[in-house]
C-alpha cells in the first residue's frame, strides 16, 4: 500500500503543495532546502540580476553536480578492462 502524505514545500519564496511517499519526505525537504541555499547564494552574489534569471543558474548548478557524480561513478571503463584481463588469463591457462 502506498503511504502518501501532502506537504507544503517552500521553494524560492513560494509554497508548493505536493503529495509524496512518506518515506521520501526527508529527502524531498532536503532537496528544497538545497535549492533555496543555492538560490540565496546567487541572489547575494548577483544582486542586480532578476530572480527569473537566477533560477536557471540554480538548475544549471544542480545539473552540473549530477553530471560530475555520474561521471565519477561510471564503472564501464573498469569493467571493460576487467573483461579484457579475464580473457587474457583464460587464454593463458587454456594454453598451459
Amino acid at each position: 500500500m502506498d503511504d502518501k502524505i501532502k506537504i507544503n514545500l517552500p521553494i524560492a519564496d513560494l509554497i508548493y503543495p505536493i503529495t509524496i511517499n512518506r518515506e521520501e519526505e526527508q529527502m524531498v525537504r532536503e532537496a528544497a532546502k538545497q535549492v533555496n541555499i543555492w538560490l540565496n547564494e546567487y541572489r547575494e552574489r548577483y544582486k542586480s540580476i532578476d530572480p527569473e534569471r537566477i533560477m536557471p543558474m540554480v538548475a544549471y548548478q544542480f545539473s552540473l553536480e549530477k553530471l560530475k557524480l555520474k561521471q565519477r561513478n561510471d564503472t564501464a571503463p573498469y569493467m571493460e578492462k576487467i573483461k579484457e584481463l579475464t580473457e587474457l588469463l583464460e587464454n593463458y591457462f587454456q594454453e598451459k
Side-chain angles (χ1 to χ4, degrees), residues 31-45:
K33 179 181 174 184
Q34 292 299 316
V35 169
N36 288 322
I37 287 171
W38 276 108
L39 178 62
N40 290 333
E41 186 172 318
Y42 278 111
R43 282 177 175 169
E44 282 296 314
R45 193 180 304 168

Side-chain angles (χ1 to χ4, degrees), residues 24-63:
E24 294 178 341
E25 180 180 8
Q26 183 178 355
M27 182 175 51
V28 168
R29 290 190 185 278
E30 181 61 28
K33 179 181 174 184
Q34 292 299 316
V35 169
N36 288 322
I37 287 171
W38 276 108
L39 178 62
N40 290 333
E41 186 172 318
Y42 278 111
R43 282 177 175 169
E44 282 296 314
R45 193 180 304 168
Y46 305 107
K47 293 180 182 189
S48 62
I49 296 178
D50 294 331
E52 296 83 25
R53 294 191 62 199
I54 290 177
M55 272 313 249
M57 289 302 297
V58 172
Y60 162 78
Q61 186 65 41
F62 281 105
S63 180

